[in-house]
Amino acid sequence: MIYREAGQFKTSYQADNQIFPIRQDRIALTATLAVALLALPLLASPYTLSAIMIPFLIFALAALGLNILTGYCGQLSLGSAAFMAVGAFASYNFVARMPGMPILLAFVLGGLCAAMVGIAFGLPSLRIRGFYLAASTLATQFFVVWCLTKIPYLTNYSSSGVITAQKIAILGYRFDSPASKYLLVLAIVATMALLAKNMIRSNVGRSWMAVRDMDMAAEVIGFRPMRTKLLAFAVSSFYCGVAGALYAYAYLGTVEPEAYNLDLSFRILFMIIIGGVGSILGSFLGAAFIVLLPIFLNILAHALSLPTNVASNLELMVFGALIIFFLIVEPHGLARLWQIGKEKLRLWPFPH
């Protein structure tokens, strides 16, 4: 009764093919953006913004980048954190070596550097696939972290390898407070998510999905697997590179190799598995789940007065159980459950 498109007539192909063709979806998106833009900066505490909302948005952007590569193009990658590290360190060096460099331009250039690294390490995808491709991208993780720790120029000759990120300033305005950093991250993530959504609906996205489903058939009908796969690696790495720069500047406040370890790559992979592989919405749902679950488990552990050793390992045990659960019960993750719920709501109260 509430979620119905009855009476919503389309008079053009463009209207029927828009991102949100149903009015209720457009209203829900507008309300969500209004709450995110207006209510949260005014009502949420600094802790909520800096410790929950900012990492949620950054991880959602990184998961979106991995979803483009793995979910839409079918190329498994375990080096997402490495591309985030390239974006963070490249952005830092652009600002440090070029006085007057706009911070947003530094983020874009950092993403482009990550895209070039992604293309270089995406070349094995032209010959190998599946587990072997995952192993080659895992080598990316170790190689990038090794370079960051062994090449002093990249860390500005810091003895510890940990360097303080420059302050974020745009047109003379400094983003120092949690609310201002949150709004900046929200604007960047929302813009890039919209671009990704339109890219998936374009010929580029269709070529990715064709290669994912059957690369030989895609080549027969005219798609070039080499260009398609390398473009997916480039776009995915660009998104991860921008996410890495935001992670260093808006969340950590430091640029350090240890922040982009293998554990972070696996966490991003878990986000798209739980949220939904091949889904823009799934990237956000998975990031929200991964960010909020440790907080909920800590509250539960304190409420139940669990021993410290049990509480510290509870998060890992729950993560493992959830990965197995979603792979068996619902491989398409939370996004698919959300889609099923909307389909049932459209037919309610009639039987499905």
Side-chain angles (χ1 to χ4, degrees), residues 153-205:
Y153 180 83
L154 299 177
T155 57
N156 203 18
Y157 300 97
S158 172
S159 58
S160 63
V162 179
I163 46 182
T164 303
Q166 300 94 341
K167 298 294 183 181
I168 302 177
I170 300 175
L171 299 177
Y173 178 78
R174 300 187 64 173
F175 292 78
D176 293 327
S177 64
S180 62
K181 290 181 180 179
Y182 161 74
L183 289 174
L184 175 64
V185 173
L186 176 64
I188 294 175
V189 172
T191 302
M192 295 186 71
L194 180 61
L195 292 175
K197 183 66 175 179
N198 282 291
M199 196 184 309
I200 296 302
R201 289 153 41 90
S202 68
N203 188 54
V204 173

Coordinates of all heavy atoms in Angstrom, one line a residue, residues 153-205:
Y153 N 62.1 8.5 0.9 CA 61.5 9.6 0.2 C 60.0 9.7 0.4 O 59.4 10.7 0.5 CB 61.9 9.6 -1.2 CG 61.4 10.8 -2.0 CD1 62.0 12.0 -2.0 CD2 60.2 10.6 -2.8 CE1 61.5 13.1 -2.8 CE2 59.7 11.7 -3.5 CZ 60.4 12.9 -3.5 OH 59.9 14.0 -4.2
L154 N 59.4 8.5 0.3 CA 57.9 8.4 0.3 C 57.4 8.8 1.7 O 56.2 9.3 1.8 CB 57.5 7.0 0.0 CG 57.8 6.5 -1.4 CD1 57.4 5.0 -1.6 CD2 57.2 7.4 -2.5
T155 N 58.1 8.6 2.8 CA 57.7 9.0 4.1 C 58.4 10.3 4.6 O 58.4 10.6 5.8 CB 58.0 7.9 5.1 OG1 59.4 7.6 5.1 CG2 57.2 6.6 4.8
N156 N 58.9 11.1 3.6 CA 59.5 12.3 3.9 C 60.7 12.2 4.9 O 60.9 13.0 5.8 CB 58.5 13.3 4.4 CG 59.0 14.8 4.2 OD1 59.9 15.0 3.5 ND2 58.3 15.7 5.0
Y157 N 61.4 11.0 4.8 CA 62.6 10.7 5.6 C 62.3 10.7 7.1 O 63.1 11.1 7.9 CB 63.7 11.8 5.3 CG 64.1 11.8 3.9 CD1 63.6 12.7 3.0 CD2 65.0 10.8 3.4 CE1 64.0 12.7 1.6 CE2 65.4 10.8 2.0 CZ 64.8 11.8 1.2 OH 65.2 11.8 -0.2
S158 N 61.0 10.3 7.4 CA 60.7 10.1 8.8 C 61.3 8.9 9.4 O 61.2 7.8 8.8 CB 59.1 10.0 9.0 OG 58.8 9.7 10.3
S159 N 61.9 9.0 10.5 CA 62.6 7.8 11.1 C 61.7 6.8 11.6 O 62.0 5.6 11.5 CB 63.5 8.3 12.3 OG 62.6 8.9 13.3
S160 N 60.5 7.1 12.0 CA 59.5 6.2 12.5 C 58.6 5.7 11.4 O 57.9 4.7 11.6 CB 58.7 6.8 13.6 OG 57.9 7.9 13.1
G161 N 58.6 6.4 10.3 CA 57.6 6.0 9.2 C 56.3 6.6 9.4 O 55.4 6.4 8.5
V162 N 56.0 7.2 10.5 CA 54.7 7.8 10.8 C 54.8 9.3 10.6 O 55.6 10.0 11.3 CB 54.2 7.5 12.2 CG1 52.9 8.1 12.5 CG2 54.1 6.0 12.4
I163 N 54.0 9.9 9.7 CA 54.1 11.3 9.5 C 52.7 11.9 9.7 O 51.7 11.3 9.4 CB 54.6 11.6 8.0 CG1 53.9 10.7 7.0 CG2 56.1 11.5 7.9 CD1 54.3 10.9 5.6
T164 N 52.6 13.1 10.2 CA 51.4 13.8 10.4 C 50.8 14.4 9.1 O 51.5 15.1 8.4 CB 51.6 15.0 11.4 OG1 52.1 14.4 12.6 CG2 50.3 15.6 11.7
A165 N 49.6 14.1 8.8 CA 49.0 14.6 7.6 C 48.7 16.1 7.7 O 48.5 16.7 8.8 CB 47.6 13.9 7.4
Q166 N 48.8 16.8 6.6 CA 48.6 18.2 6.6 C 47.1 18.5 6.9 O 46.3 17.7 6.7 CB 49.0 18.8 5.2 CG 50.4 18.6 4.8 CD 50.6 17.3 3.9 OE1 49.8 16.5 3.9 NE2 51.7 17.3 3.2
K167 N 46.9 19.7 7.3 CA 45.5 20.2 7.6 C 44.8 20.3 6.3 O 45.3 20.7 5.3 CB 45.6 21.5 8.4 CG 46.2 21.4 9.7 CD 45.5 20.5 10.7 CE 46.1 20.5 12.1 NZ 45.4 19.6 13.0
I168 N 43.5 20.0 6.4 CA 42.6 20.1 5.3 C 42.1 21.5 5.2 O 41.4 22.0 6.1 CB 41.4 19.1 5.4 CG1 41.9 17.7 5.5 CG2 40.5 19.3 4.1 CD1 40.8 16.7 5.7
A169 N 42.4 22.2 4.1 CA 42.0 23.6 3.9 C 41.5 23.8 2.4 O 42.3 23.4 1.5 CB 43.1 24.6 4.2
I170 N 40.3 24.3 2.2 CA 39.8 24.5 0.9 C 39.3 25.9 0.8 O 38.4 26.4 1.6 CB 38.6 23.5 0.6 CG1 39.1 22.1 0.7 CG2 38.0 23.8 -0.8 CD1 38.0 21.0 0.5
L171 N 39.9 26.7 -0.1 CA 39.5 28.1 -0.3 C 39.6 28.9 1.0 O 38.8 29.8 1.3 CB 38.1 28.2 -0.9 CG 37.9 27.5 -2.3 CD1 36.4 27.7 -2.7 CD2 38.8 28.1 -3.3
G172 N 40.6 28.6 1.7 CA 40.9 29.4 3.0 C 40.1 28.9 4.2 O 40.4 29.3 5.3
Y173 N 39.2 27.9 4.0 CA 38.4 27.4 5.1 C 39.1 26.1 5.6 O 39.3 25.2 4.8 CB 37.0 27.1 4.7 CG 36.2 26.5 5.9 CD1 35.7 27.3 6.9 CD2 35.9 25.2 5.9 CE1 34.9 26.8 7.9 CE2 35.2 24.6 6.9 CZ 34.7 25.4 7.9 OH 33.9 24.9 9.0
R174 N 39.4 26.0 6.9 CA 40.1 24.8 7.4 C 39.0 23.9 8.0 O 38.2 24.3 8.8 CB 41.1 25.2 8.5 CG 42.2 26.1 8.0 CD 43.2 26.4 9.0 NE 44.0 25.2 9.3 CZ 45.0 25.2 10.1 NH1 45.5 26.3 10.6 NH2 45.6 24.1 10.4
F175 N 39.2 22.6 7.7 CA 38.3 21.6 8.1 C 38.9 20.9 9.4 O 39.6 19.9 9.2 CB 38.0 20.5 7.0 CG 37.2 21.1 5.9 CD1 37.8 21.9 4.9 CD2 35.8 20.8 5.8 CE1 37.1 22.4 3.9 CE2 35.1 21.3 4.7 CZ 35.7 22.1 3.8
D176 N 38.7 21.5 10.5 CA 39.3 21.0 11.7 C 38.4 20.3 12.6 O 38.8 19.3 13.3 CB 40.0 22.2 12.5 CG 41.1 22.8 11.8 OD1 41.8 22.1 11.1 OD2 41.3 24.0 11.9
S177 N 37.1 20.7 12.7 CA 36.1 20.1 13.6 C 35.6 18.8 13.0 O 35.7 18.6 11.7 CB 35.0 21.0 13.8 OG 34.3 21.2 12.6
P178 N 35.1 17.8 13.8 CA 34.6 16.6 13.3 C 33.4 16.8 12.3 O 33.3 16.1 11.3 CB 34.1 15.9 14.6 CG 35.0 16.4 15.6 CD 35.2 17.8 15.3
A179 N 32.6 17.8 12.6 CA 31.4 18.1 11.8 C 31.9 18.5 10.4 O 31.3 18.1 9.3 CB 30.5 19.1 12.4
S180 N 32.9 19.4 10.3 CA 33.3 19.9 9.0 C 34.0 18.7 8.2 O 33.8 18.6 7.0 CB 34.3 21.0 9.1 OG 35.4 20.7 9.9
K181 N 34.8 17.9 8.9 CA 35.4 16.8 8.2 C 34.3 15.8 7.7 O 34.4 15.2 6.6 CB 36.4 16.1 9.1 CG 37.7 16.9 9.4 CD 38.6 16.1 10.3 CE 39.9 16.9 10.6 NZ 40.8 16.1 11.5
Y182 N 33.3 15.6 8.5 CA 32.3 14.7 8.1 C 31.5 15.1 6.9 O 31.3 14.4 6.0 CB 31.3 14.5 9.3 CG 29.9 14.0 8.9 CD1 29.8 12.6 8.6 CD2 28.8 14.8 8.8 CE1 28.5 12.1 8.2 CE2 27.6 14.3 8.5 CZ 27.4 13.0 8.2 OH 26.2 12.5 7.8
L183 N 31.2 16.4 6.8 CA 30.5 17.0 5.7 C 31.4 16.9 4.4 O 30.9 16.6 3.3 CB 30.1 18.4 5.9 CG 29.0 18.6 7.0 CD1 28.8 20.1 7.3 CD2 27.7 18.0 6.5
L184 N 32.7 17.1 4.6 CA 33.6 17.0 3.4 C 33.6 15.5 2.9 O 33.5 15.3 1.7 CB 35.0 17.5 3.8 CG 36.1 17.3 2.7 CD1 35.7 18.1 1.5 CD2 37.4 17.6 3.2
V185 N 33.8 14.6 3.8 CA 33.8 13.2 3.4 C 32.5 12.8 2.8 O 32.4 12.1 1.8 CB 34.2 12.3 4.6 CG1 34.0 10.8 4.3 CG2 35.6 12.6 5.1
L186 N 31.4 13.2 3.4 CA 30.1 12.9 2.9 C 29.9 13.4 1.5 O 29.3 12.7 0.6 CB 29.0 13.5 3.8 CG 27.5 13.3 3.3 CD1 27.2 11.8 3.3 CD2 26.6 14.0 4.3
A187 N 30.3 14.6 1.2 CA 30.2 15.2 -0.1 C 31.0 14.4 -1.2 O 30.5 14.1 -2.3 CB 30.6 16.7 -0.1
I188 N 32.2 14.1 -0.8 CA 33.1 13.3 -1.7 C 32.5 11.9 -2.0 O 32.4 11.5 -3.1 CB 34.5 13.2 -1.2 CG1 35.1 14.6 -1.1 CG2 35.3 12.3 -2.0 CD1 36.5 14.7 -0.5
V189 N 32.1 11.2 -0.9 CA 31.6 9.9 -1.1 C 30.3 9.8 -1.8 O 30.1 9.0 -2.7 CB 31.4 9.2 0.3 CG1 30.7 7.9 0.2 CG2 32.7 9.0 1.0
A190 N 29.4 10.8 -1.6 CA 28.1 10.8 -2.3 C 28.3 11.1 -3.8 O 27.7 10.5 -4.6 CB 27.2 11.9 -1.7
T191 N 29.2 12.0 -4.1 CA 29.5 12.3 -5.5 C 30.1 11.1 -6.2 O 29.6 10.8 -7.3 CB 30.4 13.5 -5.6 OG1 29.9 14.6 -4.9 CG2 30.7 13.9 -7.0
M192 N 31.0 10.5 -5.6 CA 31.7 9.3 -6.2 C 30.7 8.1 -6.3 O 30.8 7.3 -7.3 CB 32.9 8.9 -5.5 CG 34.0 10.0 -5.5 SD 35.6 9.6 -4.8 CE 36.2 8.4 -6.0
A193 N 29.8 8.0 -5.4 CA 28.8 6.9 -5.4 C 27.9 7.1 -6.6 O 27.5 6.2 -7.3 CB 28.1 6.8 -4.1
L194 N 27.5 8.4 -6.8 CA 26.6 8.7 -7.9 C 27.3 8.4 -9.2 O 26.7 7.9 -10.2 CB 26.1 10.2 -7.8 CG 25.2 10.7 -8.9 CD1 23.9 9.9 -8.9 CD2 24.9 12.1 -8.7
L195 N 28.5 8.8 -9.3 CA 29.3 8.6 -10.5 C 29.4 7.1 -10.8 O 29.3 6.6 -11.9 CB 30.7 9.2 -10.4 CG 30.7 10.7 -10.4 CD1 32.2 11.2 -10.2 CD2 30.2 11.3 -11.7
A196 N 29.7 6.3 -9.7 CA 29.8 4.8 -9.9 C 28.5 4.2 -10.4 O 28.4 3.3 -11.2 CB 30.2 4.2 -8.6
K197 N 27.4 4.7 -9.8 CA 26.0 4.2 -10.2 C 25.8 4.5 -11.7 O 25.3 3.6 -12.4 CB 25.0 4.9 -9.3 CG 23.6 4.4 -9.6 CD 23.4 2.9 -9.2 CE 22.0 2.4 -9.3 NZ 21.8 1.0 -8.9
N198 N 26.1 5.7 -12.2 CA 25.9 6.0 -13.6 C 26.9 5.2 -14.4 O 26.5 4.8 -15.6 CB 26.0 7.5 -13.8 CG 24.8 8.3 -13.4 OD1 23.8 8.2 -14.0 ND2 24.9 9.0 -12.3
M199 N 28.1 5.0 -13.9 CA 29.1 4.2 -14.7 C 28.6 2.8 -14.9 O 28.8 2.2 -16.0 CB 30.4 4.3 -14.0 CG 31.6 3.9 -14.9 SD 33.1 3.8 -13.9 CE 33.1 5.5 -13.2
I200 N 28.0 2.2 -13.8 CA 27.6 0.8 -13.9 C 26.4 0.7 -15.0 O 26.3 -0.3 -15.7 CB 27.1 0.3 -12.5 CG1 28.3 0.3 -11.6 CG2 26.5 -1.0 -12.6 CD1 29.4 -0.5 -12.0
R201 N 25.6 1.7 -15.1 CA 24.5 1.7 -16.0 C 24.9 2.0 -17.4 O 24.1 1.9 -18.3 CB 23.4 2.7 -15.5 CG 22.7 2.3 -14.3 CD 22.2 3.5 -13.5 NE 21.6 4.5 -14.3 CZ 20.3 4.6 -14.7 NH1 19.5 3.6 -14.3 NH2 19.8 5.6 -15.4
S202 N 26.1 2.4 -17.7 CA 26.6 2.8 -19.0 C 27.1 1.6 -19.7 O 27.1 0.5 -19.2 CB 27.7 3.9 -18.9 OG 28.8 3.4 -18.3
N203 N 27.7 1.8 -20.9 CA 28.3 0.8 -21.7 C 29.5 0.2 -21.0 O 29.8 -1.0 -21.1 CB 28.7 1.3 -23.1 CG 29.1 0.2 -24.0 OD1 28.4 -0.8 -24.2 ND2 30.3 0.3 -24.6
V204 N 30.2 1.0 -20.2 CA 31.4 0.5 -19.5 C 31.0 -0.5 -18.5 O 31.6 -1.6 -18.4 CB 32.1 1.7 -18.8 CG1 33.2 1.2 -17.9 CG2 32.7 2.7 -19.8
G205 N 29.9 -0.2 -17.7 CA 29.4 -1.2 -16.7 C 28.9 -2.5 -17.3 O 29.1 -3.6 -16.8

